[in-house]
Amino acid sequence: MHTRQEQLEAFSRIMDTLDILRVKCPWDAKQTNESLRPNTIEEVYELAQALLDDKPDEIRKELGDVLLHVLFYSKIGSEQNKFDIADVCDALNKKLIFRHPHVFGEVKADDAHQVEMNWEQIKLKEKDGNKSVLSGVPAALPALVKAFRVQEKAANVGFDWETASQVWDKVKEECAEVEEAVNNKQSRDIESEFGDLLFAVINAARLYGINPENALERTNRKFISRFNYIESKAKQQGQNLRDMPLEEMDRYWNEAKTQE
């Protein structure tokens, strides 16, 4: 691993490179906050993918791409005389120190959960902090991630089940309400009840220490891998997948499972 001095020198080199590109590269020169935003979202998703794959080389590469965007936005801020990378780093450093009184102050925290609860209370007291517990959850988050975050934030101020096992009664209750809505053929109620059921299942995952986004993505991959296996078997036989009997699909599905 590199020394702190070597890390600072590497950071300085990439900043120098970006300064040059901003002047000499037509593409880099014309970028704005608005034009970069879609690419930033894509890069964050690619980093999330690499983290889920647990591939160090890919994580390193994607972290670099995300860092480039952080530096780019800071460079634009500097050009507009609004802020620069030093302001970004100083603000982050101050926030980290302020939000960790159990490290830099006299507050005690015996475990990670207590740290999280203290964190939410501190944020509510900050001058420029969130006006309410849930206002800090970005409105643009995907629904599954948003559900997890609002549940997490509510739990950090004490709004939670006393024990994890209690959540299963709620899951069963919501499942029964979905079935009732389906039987009654009330489409608006069906959508609402499915939403309640999904919210309850996400809550259950949280209570058992499972990130539902990661869990669902792993299942997505598993399904894709198995379905691709069925599709490959159909092609090997010169058969249209639509014409393959369900029983045969199930057989190949189970065959794919044994090879995982």
Side-chain angles (χ1 to χ4, degrees):
M1 291 292 101
H2 297 86
T3 65
R4 176 56 60 86
Q5 183 59 36
E6 290 171 333
Q7 293 171 355
L8 292 174
E9 290 172 356
F11 191 79
S12 180
R13 282 195 297 273
I14 187 60
M15 290 178 64
D16 290 341
T17 299
L18 181 58
D19 286 344
I20 295 170
L21 291 174
R22 187 68 170 161
V23 174
K24 295 187 176 182
C25 173
W27 186 90
D28 289 282
K30 74 175 186 178
Q31 296 310 306
T32 64
N33 288 338
E34 291 76 17
S35 67
L36 285 172
R37 181 178 177 275
N39 293 337
T40 304
I41 295 171
E42 181 179 339
E43 295 298 353
V44 171
Y45 273 109
E46 290 179 359
L47 173 59
Q49 179 82 33
L51 291 168
L52 197 60
D53 291 340
D54 195 23
K55 295 180 178 179
D57 288 343
E58 286 297 311
I59 293 173
R60 173 180 52 78
K61 172 182 173 295
E62 300 303 340
L63 281 171
D65 291 342
V66 172
L67 176 59
L68 172 59
H69 282 250
V70 172
L71 295 176
F72 218 136
Y73 290 120
S74 299
K75 176 66 177 174
I76 294 172
S78 176
E79 292 168 353
Q80 297 173 347
N81 292 317
K82 294 179 178 178
F83 62 87
D84 62 18
I85 190 63
D87 296 314
V88 173
C89 292
D90 284 341
L92 174 59
N93 189 54
K94 289 178 182 178
K95 181 164 63 176
L96 287 174
I97 292 173
F98 182 72
R99 292 186 180 180
H100 290 78
H102 54 287
V103 176
F104 301 102
E106 303 299 325
V107 175
K108 292 185 178 181
D110 298 325
D111 53 37
H113 179 63
Q114 185 61 50
V115 171
E116 290 178 359
M117 295 186 70
N118 289 344
W119 183 283
E120 295 298 337
Q121 294 294 336
I122 290 169
K123 285 196 291 186
L124 291 175
K125 296 177 182 178
E126 288 178 348
K127 179 179 179 180
D128 297 320
N130 302 320
K131 295 180 180 179
S132 70
V133 173
L134 301 182
S135 64
V137 179
L141 279 180
L144 189 152
V145 178
K146 186 189 293 185
F148 182 73
R149 289 295 291 132
V150 299
Q151 292 169 2
E152 196 174 47
K153 283 183 171 291
N156 284 339
V157 292
F159 190 73
D160 203 2
W161 303 97
E162 293 181 0
T163 62
S165 60
Q166 292 176 323
V167 75
W168 295 116
D169 287 337
K170 185 62 175 177
V171 172
K172 293 173 184 176
E173 174 189 327
E174 298 298 350
C175 191
E177 290 180 1
V178 168
E179 186 175 5
E180 181 181 355
V182 170
N183 290 336
N184 291 335
K185 299 181 179 180
Q186 299 293 327
S187 59
R188 184 176 299 179
D189 291 341
I190 293 172
E191 181 183 49
S192 175
E193 297 301 344
F194 262 111
D196 292 346
L197 175 58
L198 290 170
F199 195 85
V201 171
I202 292 168
N203 217 354
R206 177 188 62 81
L207 287 164
Y208 283 90
I210 301 298
N211 184 299
E213 171 67 21
N214 292 345
L216 183 57
E217 177 56 20
R218 292 186 190 282
T219 297
N220 286 339
R221 294 187 182 191
K222 187 164 54 179
F223 182 93
I224 290 169
S225 176
R226 293 174 185 176
F227 192 83
N228 285 345
Y229 183 83
I230 297 172
E231 192 172 26
S232 69
K233 286 297 182 179
K235 289 180 179 179
Q236 288 175 15
Q237 300 170 16
Q239 186 177 9
N240 189 314
L241 190 60
R242 293 179 181 275
D243 298 329
M244 180 178 283
L246 182 57
E247 295 78 7
E248 191 173 359
M249 288 186 179
D250 284 338
R251 178 163 61 84
Y252 287 131
W253 177 274
N254 291 326
E255 194 173 294
K257 287 173 63 176
T258 64
Q259 298 179 17
E260 292 175 351

